[in-house]
Amino acid sequence: LTQITIPSSVTEIGDYAFSECSSLTQITIPSSAAKIRNYTFYECSSLTKIIIPSSVNRDMLSIQSHTKITTFN
């Protein structure tokens, strides 16, 4: 699993949802995902790109730990 596009039916992404998914490189999050919980991408060591609409609340988005984020749209 290297890329994920979350379907628009998803309204919340839970704590540690993709934690330690070491092969994940890109994820696209829809505007319907109003809540993104703690450490969603914790230890995603290959993650380089997150596509997320500005309307999504990013306050709880933890991408700082062990990721290689270069693009955050």
Side-chain angles (χ1 to χ4, degrees), residues 15 35-40 57-63:
D15 291 340
K35 294 181 182 176
I36 299 175
R37 299 296 183 179
N38 290 316
Y39 301 102
T40 302
N57 184 346
R58 301 174 187 195
D59 290 345
M60 302 283 288
L61 185 60
S62 293
I63 60 169

Side-chain angles (χ1 to χ4, degrees), residues 6-68:
I6 306 285
S8 60
S9 58
V10 173
T11 58
E12 183 173 324
I13 301 173
D15 291 340
Y16 297 92
F18 299 102
S19 174
E20 299 183 27
C21 189
S22 61
S23 62
L24 183 63
T25 61
Q26 177 179 316
I27 187 163
T28 302
I29 299 172
S31 58
S32 62
K35 294 181 182 176
I36 299 175
R37 299 296 183 179
N38 290 316
Y39 301 102
T40 302
F41 305 108
Y42 181 75
E43 302 262 345
C44 290
S45 57
S46 298
L47 186 60
T48 58
K49 186 173 185 178
I50 297 176
I51 301 170
I52 182 171
S54 60
S55 61
V56 174
N57 184 346
R58 301 174 187 195
D59 290 345
M60 302 283 288
L61 185 60
S62 293
I63 60 169
Q64 73 282 1
S65 185
H66 302 279
T67 65
K68 298 176 183 175

